[in-house]
Amino acid sequence: MVSAGRLGALTVLAAALAAATASAQPVTIDIVPRPLTVQSAPGAVWLRNGAAIVVPSRDAGARGAARWLSALALQSRGLRLTPRFAPVPGRTAIVLERIAGPAESEAYSIDIGRDRIIIRSPSEHGLLYGVVTLWQLMTTDGAKGPVRLANLHIEDQPRFAWRGMLLDSARHFQSPAFIERLIDWMALHKLNVLQWHLTDDQGWRLPITGYPKLTAIGAWRVPATVKDSASNAPARSYGGYYSRTQIRAIIAHAQARNVTIVPEIEMPGHALSALLAYPELSAGPVPPRTMQSDWGLIPAAFGVDEPVFRFLSDVLGQVMDLFPSRFIAIGGDEIPLPIWKASPAVQARMKGLGIADETALQNYFIRRIDTILAKRGRRMIGWEEILQGGPLPADAAITSWRGAASAVSAAQGGHDVVLGIAPTLYFDNRQGERPSEPPGRGWVVSLRDVYALDPGAPPLPPPLPPAPTGQAPAAGLGAAAPAPLARFSAAESAHIIGVQGNLWTEHIRTEARLAKMAFPRAAAVAEAAWTPQAERDWPNFVARLPAEIARYAPLGLDEDDSALAVEAKTGPEGPAGAQVTLSSQAGYGQIRYSLDGQPLGASSKLYRGALHLTLPARLRAASFVGARRLSPILDETLSAASVRTRLSQQLTLCPGTLPLVLEGPPDRTGSRPAFLVQIMNSCWIWPANDLSDVGAVQLEVMAAPFNLQLGAE
């Protein structure tokens, strides 16, 4: 369960910590998120096959942590560690030990020395995180087999109680197996809240007894297609939902990884999937079913009469029966108030209740829902729009997404706040400008942009990414409004309870792409949420990043490599030459390159400036630190045609407010090309291009469905 405030200090551990010595020295280790305190001492211990993980016989939580460490060691290093109730004579032992302290604490300590590795914590949560840190220490070198661990003393605890990710399963459906893998990946970054977005306009993903059409109708849609498509293939229904058995299994898996699942049931807007199933619950005419495959601002909302609240009470009651989380997320964002204004039934209801306008009606709706949750001892959390129209119930919390103003307002009103600010923490934004980036929103939100966010130090203006055309993004779809300058008092700061990266999936169709869009940006969220700001800095983080990324492959996690990858920008230089510039987003390490098939390695030529090549040429390049290669190998064959060709992602967009990387239908090869496009102004610019010797231009184009609801636009 996630507590509302910051965790207590590590003083509860002080009496039990025995390994720190006068000779110990502060040290940096390749761990993400960075631990609170690390001290080294002379000497080391070896972990070899057969080492015991010693746990108390009656401590189920410790046994679970030991089993996971055993599985991780085998998976990542090929090392066999065995949970036991006693050490094996003559072999190094890992000892998990409970000490006195708060049961909800996530603090832990590690002592390595004298053939012992002792992990101590008051709770099973802390023991789990101690195990995660030990696993990271074991996998720093990326090797297999026995591992030498330097003598260390570590004390650690999180900065915030809510360290989260949001997974949108309503727009695209993910398998239960993938969700359990995502939970594992989160736990290995010490992230502890998964906000599970289960309902929206495009899909309803959980069964509700008494309302079978929610899943029979609301869980399925026909994807948008190009209207003049020549294909005669019948439209296929897309979607799915999770059974109660599957949901319980996912919750149990999350509990074993100290991850709380906070279900989100959207209301009163973002409700088309429910209203298609039960149109009598709608505030007005239900939009056509074809709109269920659209993205954006769908003109549909629940009504406000008593049958609607009985329905929502039934739904939320069954949600609370399934999910034990203290918080229940109710959405509350982007409510299409004109629907209420145009509804005679809603207007009559407002008059009967003495409610002056639709914004005040929104507050009435939210307070009614809070009453349903409060009767079961649960807390409501909604997007920042629930602040509108009147005072919130005292225990309600918000997720701030449009900038600092809502966080300041909520904290001043005594409400807890989770920061999920767009675009910085909206992970459907692409991470780099390379054409290989997965489809998504067109703003570039790099790993460094995410890392730069300090959740605890207002003013909190989101670091807006540069627009593809150089203009500032406008507020609304795809960008965040500039935040006003504000400062929190100490009391208000205590209401910032966490930070959350959001995986919205309108444009993230596959699980593989979800993993790429989440990682390694989730590692930056983890460090912002766990590590004190005074201990965070970008150069230190990026130096630890290669070891962290090297851990991903054995876990089956294929991350995005934008931060460390080498990118080549080319242009023609005369009739038979090219100028090439090389760079990496993070700027870490040295770029080395080879030409015309020569092997690439740490002794290859050091890149010092623009290359001037005779065409054709084969260029290979990568980033190195010493002998260690950090990035994938860039391998491009350059020709007179290739240096005079640009994909849409390599061009400048014309001015506009909604850049998207859209995926089209499959081509003749079965692949689905993706194009960067400014939706409301579809044109591109190739700046500074020399047209003096151009005799012809060849274009490749794609037809894509326009399935966007853009409100007044």
Side-chain angles (χ1 to χ4, degrees):
M1 187 70 66
V2 178
S3 61
R6 298 173 189 268
L7 299 181
L10 262 178
T11 53
V12 296
L13 300 181
L17 301 177
T21 67
S23 61
Q25 298 294 323
V27 66
T28 295
I29 53 177
D30 286 340
I31 301 297
V32 176
R34 190 177 187 178
L36 184 65
T37 300
V38 182
Q39 293 177 308
S40 67
V45 301
W46 279 91
L47 271 180
R48 295 182 170 87
N49 278 329
I53 310 172
V54 181
V55 297
S57 60
R58 297 184 180 181
D59 192 330
R63 290 201 303 275
R67 286 193 295 269
W68 198 28
L69 176 59
S70 178
L72 288 168
L74 185 62
Q75 184 177 13
S76 298
R77 197 165 184 106
L79 197 60
R80 297 186 180 277
L81 308 177
T82 306
R84 296 178 181 272
F85 299 136
V88 177
R91 293 186 180 178
T92 300
I94 302 165
V95 180
L96 306 187
E97 183 179 310
R98 290 282 191 108
I99 60 174
E104 72 276 9
S105 171
E106 294 175 297
Y108 69 92
S109 71
I110 299 178
D111 287 294
I112 302 176
R114 298 184 180 181
D115 293 328
R116 287 289 186 275
I117 300 168
I118 304 176
I119 301 173
R120 298 183 176 95
S121 177
S123 72
E124 61 186 84
H125 317 310
L127 290 179
L128 183 80
Y129 290 143
V131 157
V132 167
T133 296
L134 177 59
W135 168 75
Q136 289 178 306
L137 290 171
M138 292 165 53
T139 52
T140 296
D141 60 5
K144 297 288 186 179
V147 56
R148 181 183 183 273
L149 299 176
N151 288 352
L152 292 174
H153 172 70
I154 299 173
E155 295 184 19
D156 204 9
Q157 68 170 359
R159 179 185 184 189
F160 292 109
W162 184 303
R163 307 178 302 279
M165 295 290 291
L166 177 145
L167 175 63
D168 175 7
S169 295
R171 272 60 175 266
H172 279 102
F173 182 82
Q174 303 89 34
S175 68
F178 174 81
I179 295 171
E180 291 189 0
R181 289 197 301 275
L182 177 63
I183 289 167
D184 284 347
W185 299 335
M186 287 176 59
L188 291 173
H189 291 80
K190 302 185 176 75
L191 295 167
N192 70 338
V193 179
L194 178 64
Q195 183 167 329
W196 197 5
H197 191 76
L198 286 162
T199 75
D200 212 298
D201 294 308
Q202 295 79 19
W204 185 284
R205 304 298 182 209
L206 76 166
I208 300 295
T209 300
Y211 300 93
K213 289 189 285 187
L214 287 173
T215 49
I217 293 175
W220 306 92
R221 67 175 185 264
V222 175
T225 57
V226 179
K227 290 183 172 58
D228 60 354
S229 172
S231 171
N232 293 318
R236 291 187 177 183
S237 185
Y238 167 84
Y241 62 92
Y242 304 97
S243 70
R244 290 173 179 270
T245 298
Q246 289 171 328
I247 291 171
R248 290 190 183 100
I250 291 169
I251 292 170
H253 186 80
Q255 288 173 330
R257 301 291 186 256
N258 192 38
V259 172
T260 298
I261 297 183
V262 175
E264 182 173 20
I265 310 299
E266 275 279 3
M267 61 186 78
H270 287 287
L272 179 59
S273 59
L275 300 179
L276 287 169
Y278 295 97
E280 65 272 19
L281 301 174
S282 179
V286 179
R289 187 170 180 81
T290 54
M291 202 175 284
Q292 195 183 17
S293 64
D294 289 356
W295 315 125
L297 302 174
I298 307 294
F302 284 114
V304 292
D305 54 9
E306 289 308 310
V308 170
F309 289 111
R310 283 196 295 271
F311 165 78
L312 293 173
S313 180
D314 289 344
V315 168
L316 291 172
Q318 294 185 44
V319 167
M320 289 185 281
D321 290 340
L322 274 172
F323 293 88
S325 58
R326 177 80 189 281
F327 283 101
I328 303 293
I330 56 88
D333 60 308
E334 297 179 326
I335 303 169
L337 296 181
I339 301 294
W340 282 352
K341 190 173 185 65
S343 168
V346 170
Q347 293 300 307
R349 178 71 165 160
M350 286 172 56
K351 184 176 180 180
L353 293 169
I355 293 176
D357 57 33
E358 290 75 29
T359 305
L361 181 64
Q362 172 184 327
N363 181 258
Y364 167 80
F365 188 104
I366 296 300
R367 294 182 71 88
R368 286 288 302 263
I369 298 303
D370 181 79
T371 300
I372 295 169
L373 301 177
K375 286 180 180 178
R376 295 278 297 269
R378 307 300 182 92
R379 292 185 63 186
M380 178 176 70
I381 186 167
W383 299 97
E384 63 185 61
E385 287 95 324
I386 68 172
L387 292 168
Q388 299 168 180
L392 278 179
D395 209 27
I398 72 151
T399 303
S400 174
W401 71 277
R402 294 186 296 187
S406 61
V408 172
S409 176
Q412 289 175 344
H415 298 290
D416 289 341
V417 178
V418 174
L419 298 177
I421 293 174
T424 308
L425 295 172
Y426 271 43
F427 289 173
D428 52 341
N429 288 286
R430 58 187 179 142
Q431 297 175 75
E433 296 181 345
R434 296 177 303 161
S436 59
E437 288 292 307
R441 294 187 182 272
W443 307 114
V444 173
V445 176
S446 69
L447 180 65
R448 187 169 191 164
D449 293 331
V450 178
Y451 192 82
L453 179 71
D454 176 8
L460 295 166
L464 294 176
T469 58
Q471 83 275 8
L477 293 174
L485 296 181
R487 290 286 177 184
F488 286 148
S489 68
E492 291 162 359
S493 293
H495 285 293
I496 305 299
I497 62 171
V499 60
Q500 175 172 287
N502 301 295
L503 284 163
W504 300 111
T505 63
E506 288 99 328
H507 307 289
I508 308 178
R509 185 171 51 85
T510 69
E511 294 172 354
R513 290 176 182 170
L514 257 174
K516 283 184 177 293
M517 296 300 260
F519 295 93
R521 290 188 291 195
V525 171
E527 186 144 316
W530 183 277
T531 305
Q533 185 64 21
E535 301 300 321
R536 296 177 62 226
D537 69 84
W538 171 253
N540 184 279
F541 175 78
V542 78
R544 288 178 280 124
L545 184 63
E548 182 69 6
I549 288 177
R551 298 182 181 107
Y552 290 167
L555 302 174
L557 173 53
D558 184 14
E559 81 291 344
D560 185 90
D561 57 19
S562 291
L564 299 177
V566 173
E567 182 177 3
K569 293 188 176 180
T570 65
E573 196 168 63
Q579 177 176 291
V580 181
T581 58
L582 302 177
S583 63
S584 71
Q585 194 182 82
Y588 180 62
Q590 296 178 321
I591 297 176
R592 295 187 178 273
Y593 70 96
S594 69
L595 297 170
D596 299 324
Q598 293 298 313
L600 178 68
S603 60
S604 296
K605 292 180 181 179
L606 178 65
Y607 176 75
R608 299 183 184 277
L611 306 177
H612 303 275
L613 307 181
T614 300
L615 300 176
R618 182 183 178 189
L619 170 68
R620 306 177 77 199
S623 293
F624 291 83
V625 168
R628 183 177 187 179
R629 178 165 59 84
L630 304 178
S631 68
I633 295 175
L634 171 75
D635 192 344
E636 291 191 5
T637 299
L638 306 177
S639 66
S642 72
V643 300
R644 290 171 171 81
T645 300
R646 294 292 184 270
L647 300 178
S648 59
Q649 292 91 333
Q650 299 167 318
L651 297 170
T652 298
L653 289 181
C654 293
T657 59
L658 186 55
L660 295 174
V661 180
L662 291 181
E663 187 178 44
D667 60 19
R668 285 171 294 182
T669 67
S671 64
R672 297 168 66 113
F675 287 74
L676 175 66
V677 58
Q678 189 67 265
I679 292 300
M680 303 304 291
N681 189 12
S682 299
C683 68
W684 296 260
I685 303 168
W686 188 340
N689 188 27
D690 182 4
L691 302 178
S692 61
D693 62 348
V694 173
V697 175
Q698 178 177 319
L699 301 177
E700 293 185 12
V701 300
M702 174 192 74
F706 190 93
N707 61 324
L708 299 163
Q709 294 291 327
L710 302 179
E713 295 187 70

